[in-house]
Amino acid sequence: MVEQAAPAGARQPFQLSSAPDFLPEAQLRTLQLERLQATVARAYERVSLFRERCQQRGVTPADIRSLADLRALPFTVKTDLRDTYPFGLFASPKADVVRLHASSGTTGKPIVVAYTESDLAIWSEVMTRTLAACGLHAGDTVQNAFGYGLFTGGLGAHYGAERLGATVIPTSGGNTERQMMVMKDFGVTALCATPSYFLHLLERAGEHGIDWSELPLRVGVFGAEPWTEAMRQRIEQLSGIRAYDIYGLSEIIGPGVGSECSAQHGLHLFEDHFYPEIIDPETGEPLPDGQEGELVLTTLTKQAMPMIRYRTRDITSIIPEPCPCGRTVRRIERIGRRSDDMFIIRGINVFPSQVEAALLAVEGTLPHYQITLTREHGLDRMEVAVEVTPEVLSDTVGGMAGLQQRLAESLAHVIGVRIGVRLVEPRTLPRSEGKAQRVVDQRDV
Ligand code: DLL
């Protein structure tokens, strides 16, 4: 299946037919091996942390004779970036670095990531492939509400959309009034944002009397935070657009690591540039396709900051079946959780995405919720606040109690433990302009 063609007379379109997404598998593996060998040699020569770790294990670049030999190499973890802050993992002289981004994380110093000119060209390429996979083409008008700045979302999507031949409107995140104006007046056909910020825009559009069905908006390109299939369905129902999931992380390049396609099942990884492995997060051992574990990525073409076997902490699995869209680059399941966002309630492991799925399975709620964690006498407690629709709010007290009961049951069913639910009025929970804060952790307060 090939995505929609560009309208005649548009700027030079991105050539989907020649895109590396469709390479025959053998050719792709050969290309990956050549690139892997070059990357390992570069990192070994130029990054002392990597070289020392290889020496401790007795491996040299010459030992990488097949893709499977990658397993002999050491992992890289987030703390390696923090410990070598700011520039310790760079493999290019500062003079060749043309861009820096940083990811703040929740505590301490940010991590800094670097790009050479060639890295930026690759980033534009993979973002172009991302947007094409989401059904965008030359001639589209793209409102880019990913944040511009140190965050990679804004500039990543920007260059990809320009290279695709689209018209980009760099609204960045926030300033919702202006977003409304742009969406209404500029003929926007595609919008990039975090899914939580898009929900906020949808809500505000209703208040501004904007009728979605009259807008030419057709596609939403959403990512940077976990969101469930149930959330996609809500978004698509409420807005009438097609909502696609895109994935990436600063350490690897930013957005542009993987993307859904028209099949909307799993995200294709652009594996001619980023080589995936799935490992058991406890033992570090590789897992077979289809089995869930931690995604580990190795960059194959990055110059300024090659990443070898980077442990993403994102939990997913490789989908073994070929995709109906015809792309040969492999797919991963959507990222529902990270290995570090789990909390334990009365002995049961709970992930925020399970809470989202359980809440959205019940009619009468809005897709806005927040989880609060507290600790009493050494035990974790969890409460979920969820907004209800205005109709529910005007219902009888009995109606509200019934809804609360249904939500508690749905949560108990999904999670296996009863959790406190608090119903709140529409528009009372905080709205995000970027990544939503789904969990408020007061356990150390
Ligand atoms: O969030 C890059 C990005 C920008 C991706 C715009 C997609 C769109 P970081 O700020 O470094 O980079 O955060 C990376 O966010 O390890 C995941 O845990 C999470 N994440 C990103 N995309 C998704 C997604 C950008 N589609 C971290 N689903 C990653 C679930 C996601 N989690």
Side-chain angles (χ1 to χ4, degrees), residues 1 4 83 92 110 164 168 194 199 204-205 244 281 303 305 312 389-390 394:
M1 197 190 302
Q4 233 172 318
D83 295 346
S92 291
L164 184 72
V168 191
T194 58
L199 278 171
R204 294 293 295 275
Y244 293 93
Q303 305 248 303
M305 221 174 89
T312 64
T389 58
S394 59

Side-chain angles (χ1 to χ4, degrees), residues 190-203:
L191 195 142
C192 303
T194 58
S196 55
Y197 188 51
F198 181 70
L199 278 171
H200 181 46
L201 291 178
L202 253 181
E203 184 174 62

Side-chain angles (χ1 to χ4, degrees), residues 56-174:
Q56 281 160 14
R57 293 173 150 236
V59 233
T60 68
D63 295 321
I64 308 299
R65 289 184 213 95
S66 70
L67 288 169
D69 291 336
L70 180 61
R71 293 173 189 180
L73 296 171
F75 289 119
T76 308
V77 293
K78 192 163 209 144
T79 45
D80 294 334
L81 284 127
R82 293 231 165 87
D83 295 346
T84 55
Y85 174 88
F87 302 155
L89 296 186
F90 288 11
S92 291
K94 190 65 197 321
D96 291 346
V97 171
V98 295
R99 177 93 66 79
L100 297 176
H101 280 274
S103 157
S104 55
T106 41
T107 49
K109 291 271 192 206
I111 56 151
V112 181
V113 295
Y115 304 77
T116 62
E117 236 170 79
S118 123
D119 295 335
L120 287 184
I122 287 164
W123 195 13
S124 301
E125 178 203 310
V126 286
M127 271 314 290
T128 309
R129 288 160 65 183
T130 292
L131 297 173
C134 296
L136 271 66
H137 47 67
D140 263 317
T141 300
V142 182
Q143 180 166 351
N144 184 14
F146 282 129
Y148 282 65
L150 291 180
F151 176 57
T152 52
L155 285 168
H158 183 104
Y159 285 98
E162 275 190 359
R163 183 157 174 234
L164 184 72
T167 304
V168 191
I169 313 168
T171 49
S172 192

Side-chain angles (χ1 to χ4, degrees), residues 97-335:
V97 171
V98 295
R99 177 93 66 79
L100 297 176
H101 280 274
S103 157
S104 55
T106 41
T107 49
K109 291 271 192 206
I111 56 151
V112 181
V113 295
Y115 304 77
T116 62
E117 236 170 79
S118 123
D119 295 335
L120 287 184
I122 287 164
W123 195 13
S124 301
E125 178 203 310
V126 286
M127 271 314 290
T128 309
R129 288 160 65 183
T130 292
L131 297 173
C134 296
L136 271 66
H137 47 67
D140 263 317
T141 300
V142 182
Q143 180 166 351
N144 184 14
F146 282 129
Y148 282 65
L150 291 180
F151 176 57
T152 52
L155 285 168
H158 183 104
Y159 285 98
E162 275 190 359
R163 183 157 174 234
L164 184 72
T167 304
V168 191
I169 313 168
T171 49
S172 192
N175 201 339
T176 304
E177 294 293 318
R178 200 173 54 188
Q179 306 269 7
M180 292 297 128
M181 178 201 75
V182 166
M183 204 184 305
K184 219 166 100 184
D185 300 341
F186 291 13
V188 172
T189 54
L191 195 142
C192 303
T194 58
S196 55
Y197 188 51
F198 181 70
L199 278 171
H200 181 46
L201 291 178
L202 253 181
E203 184 174 62
R204 294 293 295 275
E207 287 165 19
H208 281 70
I210 296 178
D211 179 356
W212 280 90
S213 62
E214 303 212 322
L215 297 180
L217 187 66
R218 161 184 112 248
V219 180
V221 178
F222 302 129
E225 63 186 8
W227 55 307
T228 58
E229 191 54 40
M231 184 67 93
R232 189 221 302 273
Q233 279 163 21
R234 282 276 176 115
I235 287 178
E236 290 193 341
Q237 274 160 15
L238 288 168
S239 65
I241 66 170
R242 291 276 297 248
Y244 293 93
D245 190 16
I246 70 165
Y247 170 72
L249 60 165
S250 319
E251 298 88 319
I252 297 300
I253 203 152
V257 175
S259 171
E260 282 189 333
C261 62
S262 52
Q264 287 184 311
H265 176 211
L267 294 91
H268 290 279
L269 292 175
F270 300 112
E271 58 168 323
D272 48 323
H273 294 293
F274 317 111
Y275 189 80
E277 297 171 89
I278 301 287
I279 60 159
D280 178 330
E282 303 294 325
T283 64
E285 286 304 311
L287 293 174
D289 286 0
Q291 212 158 311
E292 192 178 80
E294 180 178 341
L295 177 65
V296 171
L297 291 167
T298 298
T299 62
L300 298 177
T301 46
K302 278 257 295 284
Q303 305 248 303
M305 221 174 89
M307 279 283 138
I308 313 275
R309 302 195 86 200
Y310 184 70
R311 293 190 57 161
T312 64
R313 302 266 159 205
D314 293 322
I315 304 292
T316 181
S317 59
I318 290 182
I319 301 177
E321 295 82 30
C323 183
C325 80
R327 283 181 179 74
T328 49
V329 284
R330 286 172 289 176
R331 284 174 296 165
I332 51 167
E333 290 289 355
R334 67 192 303 152
I335 313 262

